[in-house]
DNA sequence: CGCTATCTTGACAATCTTCAAGGCCTGTGG
DNA sequence: CCACAGGCCTTGAAGATTGTCAAGATAGCG
């Protein structure tokens, strides 16, 4: 692994990085940040631009420094399944060799930290703590994927919406028994995430609203009025 | 980590282990097998018995030495989603703390190698190569889960069956343009894996048979007659 | 040789999708 | 300032796929 320190402000990019505490990089102590800086370089991606294409050889790995992305798989006839959303601190790419399993597209302007495959390998060799964090992270993602498999394989449309609205990754603000959610994506993305159509998303939201369980003060804002009822719908308990 | 060598044939259990070459244990060299033996103990599980219960605290990890299992998640009203099948060499459990994300039930009599959470942690600390293998394994499982999310969210019943029959993990024997598959599970498990009902599984298999694409010489045996047609159904290309 | 599990097939019902039209919000240009 | 255009979202009606319920076939096993 070649150690090439950047010409100026060698450590600054990582020391002041907003994502450092949220990402697997936090396993690397301050005094070794030179290695991290040398292994990575930052790039920006405009909204709506793809930066990972399913099927391409996985030569690079990305750490999200700012912004968020949707991760999805596509079929030849245009159907697509969103397999997840990634925010600041998420790590994208495969550790094993092989093609990317999904595509990634920026939902808003993004800043990414890119590692080449060999550079990442070397980093993991040198900092086992980072490898452990990565293992924990991938394990957690696997558990989330399994939960989504239950949703996609066995839940009704109403149950999918209820589960989606209760996802802790969406949680923003709460006050008393009610919670205010901001949906950072259009209905089409919710539909592709839940394995249904945008019309069904719309219908189920209306149904929940008419039942007094939620309120929809704006297109992208949901107020949860009766969380317990939503939970009982999500789990069919 | 206490090192308690077993009373007799200290290394034999691992040296002669049928699963060793297929499992993450292969990262541990022969001369260090004492550590592996000390960290683990073998147990047997009869067919149809569960040995991991979703929601239980994940205190143990299992390596499959012999036999196979189905991994599934259940809902309160009995619906279940099989998230995968595990065979010899598979590693089950979470590396991170927390409850198990799924249940595991033996499909046939099994032999398992059990590691306690702290023992595994200590092993991974001592043998980074094993941790790397585990990371690669979990990453591959995540990619498989993502592929299954596409299937469950966006494919029709016919496409699901075609994809299932083409899954390389089912592959047994081939001769010329035809392949003979053995389905090691009943229709109900196929249904719970593909997110459909057993009646739909049966109907779609009959449909593929009437179309001349497959043959069903026995309940658990499928002969693939026209692989390319099956592939075009699976991918809608 | 019959018993019981599992599997297949059929008829009907429910859910979800598809197709279509209309509403709402936002930004832009007259 | 207002009108209009284009997204995005909602709602409705019709159709298709899949689920549910029920009955019958098949196969493995004592």
């Amino acid at each position: 692994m070649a150690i090439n320190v950047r010409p100026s402000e060698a450590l600054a990019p990582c020391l002041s990085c907003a994502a450092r505490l949220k990402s697997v990089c936090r396993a690397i102590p301050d005094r070794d940040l030179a290695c991290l800086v040398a292994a990575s370089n930052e790039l920006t991606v405009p909204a709506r631009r793809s930066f990972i294409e399913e099927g391409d050889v996985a030569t690079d790995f990305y750490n999200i420094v700012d912004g968020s992305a949707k991760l999805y798989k596509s079929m030849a006839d245009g159907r697509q399944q969103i397999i997840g959303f990634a925010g600041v601190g998420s790590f994208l790419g495969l550790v094993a060799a092989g093609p990317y399993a999904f595509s990634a597209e920026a939902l808003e302007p993004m800043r990414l930290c890119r590692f080449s495959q060999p550079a990442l390998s070397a980093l993991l060799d040198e900092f086992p703590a980072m490898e452990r964090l990565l293992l924990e992270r991938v394990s957690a993602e696997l558990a989330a994927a399994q939960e989504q498999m239950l949703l996609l394989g066995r839940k009704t449309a109403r149950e999918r919406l209820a589960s989606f609205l209760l996802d802790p990754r969406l949680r923003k603000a709460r006050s008393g028994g009610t919670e205010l959610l901001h949906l950072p994506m259009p209905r089409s993305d919710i539909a592709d995430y839940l394995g249904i159509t945008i019309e069904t998303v719309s219908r189920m939201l209306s149904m929940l609203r008419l039942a007094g369980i939620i309120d929809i003060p704006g297109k992208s804002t949901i107020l949860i009025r009766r969380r317990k009822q939503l939970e009982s719908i999500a789990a069919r308990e």
Side-chain angles (χ1 to χ4, degrees), chain A residues 157-188:
Chain A
R158 186 183 319 149
E159 291 165 350
R160 294 181 197 203
L161 255 298
S163 301
F164 176 69
L165 294 177
L166 290 170
D167 192 317
R169 289 169 288 188
L170 276 183
R171 194 172 297 158
K172 282 288 178 189
R174 50 169 62 186
S175 64
T178 64
E179 289 176 54
L180 200 60
L181 298 184
H182 175 69
L183 305 180
M185 70 290 282
R187 298 286 188 271
S188 56

Side-chain angles (χ1 to χ4, degrees), chain A residues 71 81-85 140-155 159-165 167 169 189-196:
Chain A
L71 318 180
Q81 177 66 39
I82 292 180
I83 58 165
F85 297 96
E141 273 180 49
L142 181 58
Q146 290 165 345
E147 188 65 37
Q148 193 72 353
M149 286 166 72
L150 175 64
L151 180 147
L152 293 170
R154 288 302 180 211
K155 291 189 179 178
E159 291 165 350
R160 294 181 197 203
L161 255 298
S163 301
F164 176 69
L165 294 177
D167 192 317
R169 289 169 288 188
D189 283 351
I190 299 176
D192 284 340
Y193 182 55
L194 299 180
I196 51 183

Side-chain angles (χ1 to χ4, degrees), chain A residues 4 8 11 19 22 29 62 65 67-68 78 86 92 106 108 144 156-157 185 190 204 207 210 216 220 223 234:
Chain A
N4 299 313
S8 63
L11 302 181
K22 289 182 166 185
Y62 300 93
V65 177
S68 60
L92 304 177
E108 42 191 336
T156 66
M185 70 290 282
I190 299 176
M204 294 304 147
M207 203 169 284
L210 292 175
I216 312 179
S220 300
L223 179 70

Side-chain angles (χ1 to χ4, degrees), chain A residues 3 17-18 39-40 43 72 75 125 151 156 177 203 222 231 237:
Chain A
I3 303 281
C17 175
S40 64
L43 69 160
Y72 61 96
M75 294 180 67
D125 286 340
L151 180 147
T156 66
R203 271 186 257 271
I222 305 275
E231 282 167 353
E237 282 166 352

